């Protein structure tokens, strides 16, 4: 008969309380102690991993925060002009620099008669693919949807972008290397190498020596990453630098090859002749110095003010946080995630200052659930403006064919004064082909966000919208 195994029951005091180890509350259960589940995962947390709204992802969080504030630039433009008044009261330690800053402040404001021209300039700089040549290419693709032709047009656009952005890329790399050099001043050898490379990227021969310079930059960036002074902020600058290096096309024949390839794909002598003429005019416009004067004055002055802040340590006009928000607001639109036209308009009228920021969706059909049925052209605008001494206003306009719906939200203290100006709005456009169909004037209870106004924007940020 087989031996019976002798099993002894463990001597454990039943009254003794077993102390469990401290468990991280962020985990639903402990693999060593599965007697209970600490807490279930919240449904919203489970969904966040699929829509790109996780807090640890810097870019979506930043873009979403911008969506929630439609007047980021407006508020900081007001702060800039408050600083102008402060500067006039301070002792002039550097009279030359103080005069230059005051001139920049004064030139930032425009007169009411210049608003339209300034908006046109800002709109022209919103995209490089604008003009007769690109209208011809759009029509060509619409009438000939062959994959090979589309590929040829896309290749030409890449070559044009490479042709027009070479100097900008070189300057961007030079600026990144300069920043890294200043951040690594404790390491004299590494800082000196970065400074010399930054200077070489600003020379006239940089484009012709790009492959050699690129190799040296990648080598020095490895040394930067291995440095004891390397930080998370430097890591982002290194990544941006490598990305900018990848954008540069060093093939000098890329543009000619793209033009020749597309020319062979175009049918008909008339179309080929028109394409050649449009291309010739486009290249001539690129070389024309007169086109340089068409840049936005407001954007140019804002850039110079921010540049003064970063270049001169003695000029502490704005905190780094404010500068960062201004830059992000200016660059956030138009882009892939915020496909809206964006305008910044500070105005001087007599002794009164007004600061406006305008967001425009030129294709309202993307929003789907707004507007009227059967209309062809739908334009949706949000105008956030602040009038000195009065307060903040919001105007929302729907332009549908030739009719306009207007909602004006004014400071509650001035609602009575502004509630009777509907007739003035009607008279103001009496000589045009447009007409107001509905006008609503109400008090501004709270500033609305871009997501409140443009309903389609959250879907641009939250991934794929799947409908069954």
């Amino acid at each position: 008969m087989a031996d019976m195994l002798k099993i002894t029951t463990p001597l454990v005091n039943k009254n003794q309380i077993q102390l469990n180890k401290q468990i991280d509350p962020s985990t639903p259960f402990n693999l060593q102690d599965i007697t209970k589940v600490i807490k279930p995962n919240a449904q919203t947390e489970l969904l966040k991993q699929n829509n790109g709204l996780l807090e640890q992802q810097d870019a979506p969080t930043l873009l979403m925060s911008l969506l929630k504030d439609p007047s980021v630039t407006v508020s900081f433009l007001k702060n800039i002009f408050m600083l102008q008044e402060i500067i006039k009261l301070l002792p002039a330690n550097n009279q030359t620099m103080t005069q230059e800053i005051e001139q920049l402040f004064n030139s930032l404001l425009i007169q009411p008669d210049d608003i339209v021209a300034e908006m046109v300039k800002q709109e022209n700089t919103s995209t490089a693919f604008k003009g007769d040549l690109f209208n011809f290419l759009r029509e060509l693709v619409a009438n000939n949807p062959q994959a090979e032709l589309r590929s040829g047009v896309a290749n030409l656009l890449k070559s044009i972008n490479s042709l027009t952005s070479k100097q900008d890329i070189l300057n961007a790399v030079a600026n990144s290397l300069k920043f890294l050099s200043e951040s690594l001043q404790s390491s004299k050898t590494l800082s000196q190498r970065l400074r010399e490379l930054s200077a070489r990227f600003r020379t006239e021969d940089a484009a012709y020596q790009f492959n050699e310079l690129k190799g040296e930059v990648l080598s020095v960036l490895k040394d930067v990453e291995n440095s004891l002074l390397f930080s998370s902020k430097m890591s982002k600058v290194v990544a941006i630098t490598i990305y900018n290096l990848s954008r540069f096309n060093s093939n000098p024949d890329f543009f000619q090859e793209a033009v020749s390839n597309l020319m062979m794909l175009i049918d008909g002598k008339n179309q080929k002749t028109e394409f050649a003429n449009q291309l010739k005019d486009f290249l001539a416009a690129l070389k024309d110095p007169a086109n340089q004067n068409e840049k936005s004055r407001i954007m140019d002055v804002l850039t110079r003010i921010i540049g003064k802040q970063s270049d001169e340590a003695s000029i502490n006009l704005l905190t780094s946080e404010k500068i960062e928000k201004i830059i992000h607001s200016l660059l956030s639109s138009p882009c892939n995630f915020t496909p809206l036209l964006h305008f910044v308009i500070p105005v001087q009228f007599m002794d009164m200052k007004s600061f406006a920021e305008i967001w425009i969706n030129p294709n309202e059909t993307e929003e789907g659930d707004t507007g009227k049925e059967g209309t062809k052209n739908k334009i949706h605008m949000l105008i956030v403006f602040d009038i000195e001494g009065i307060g903040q206003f919001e105007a929302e306009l729907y332009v549908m064919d030739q009719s306009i719906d207007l909602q004006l939200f004014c400071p509650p203290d001035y609602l009575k004064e502004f509630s009777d100006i509907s007739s003035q709005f009607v008279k103001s456009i009496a000589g045009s082909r447009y007409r107001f169909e509905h006008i609503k004037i109400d008090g501004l209870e709270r500033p609305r966000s871009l997501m409140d106004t443009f309903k389609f924007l959250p879907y641009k940020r939250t991934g794929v919208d799947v409908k069954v």
Side-chain angles (χ1 to χ4, degrees), residues 357-374:
E357 190 168 12
I358 305 172
W359 306 81
I360 301 177
N361 177 20
N363 187 4
E364 177 66 14
T365 55
E366 293 183 12
E367 298 187 18
D369 58 348
T370 57
K372 297 183 176 181
E373 295 293 335

Side-chain angles (χ1 to χ4, degrees), residues 420-432 434-436 439:
D420 299 329
I421 62 173
S422 300
S423 58
Q424 297 183 27
F425 286 136
V426 174
K427 291 180 181 178
S428 66
I429 64 170
S432 68
Y434 293 96
R435 69 183 187 280
F436 282 105
I439 298 178

